[in-house]
Amino acid sequence: MSFSGYLCSEHRNNDRITDYSCAADGEVLVDHLVPFDDLDGASGQLCEELGFPGQKIPHINFNRLKGKAIADGNLRGLYSAADWALVEPYFAEESAFLAARGLAPLHEDPSR
């Protein structure tokens, strides 16, 4: 299945940031949100605090193009126009959620 096919399939994960970070009444239930591109750093810090220094998350099937796009803040360039139309509302909602709490967005400004 192609990525475009996945975005239109029943298998697509449609969870919103509020689905896994807030109670039904909107109360925030998490202490910290970790950007996906910093999972290694955040998990390393947590392991250090728990007494397991030097731990790293293994990188399997790493997409160098995606890694560069994340580093450059250009996720939009990874999507076709049709695919971006499907995922952009999620990025916009996530950015608004984080901004309302004084946190930096995890992704580029969707209007770019």
Side-chain angles (χ1 to χ4, degrees), residues 1 30 106:
M1 175 184 306
V30 296
L106 305 182

Side-chain angles (χ1 to χ4, degrees), residues 84-102:
W84 183 251
L86 294 171
V87 299
E88 188 275 336
Y90 291 89
F91 287 147
E93 183 179 303
E94 183 177 86
S95 293
F97 175 84
L98 295 171
R101 286 149 185 84

Side-chain angles (χ1 to χ4, degrees), residues 9-110:
S9 79
E10 63 187 27
H11 305 292
R12 177 181 174 187
N13 179 352
N14 290 309
D15 291 348
R16 303 279 210 241
I17 191 170
T18 52
D19 293 336
Y20 55 84
S21 60
C22 296
D25 65 1
E27 177 190 3
V28 177
L29 301 173
V30 296
D31 295 324
H32 190 72
L33 292 168
V34 176
F36 183 77
D37 54 313
D38 189 37
L39 283 177
D40 198 41
S43 69
Q45 182 181 352
L46 177 61
C47 287
E48 179 92 22
E49 291 172 10
L50 294 173
F52 301 98
Q55 303 299 308
K56 296 211 177 265
I57 296 175
H59 289 245
I60 300 170
N61 197 21
F62 182 74
N63 181 326
R64 295 190 195 296
L65 177 62
K66 184 177 180 182
K68 181 173 177 3
I70 290 171
D72 293 345
N74 183 26
L75 292 179
R76 170 63 184 93
L78 294 174
Y79 297 92
S80 68
D83 290 349
W84 183 251
L86 294 171
V87 299
E88 188 275 336
Y90 291 89
F91 287 147
E93 183 179 303
E94 183 177 86
S95 293
F97 175 84
L98 295 171
R101 286 149 185 84
L103 302 169
L106 305 182
H107 306 284
E108 70 176 8
D109 178 345

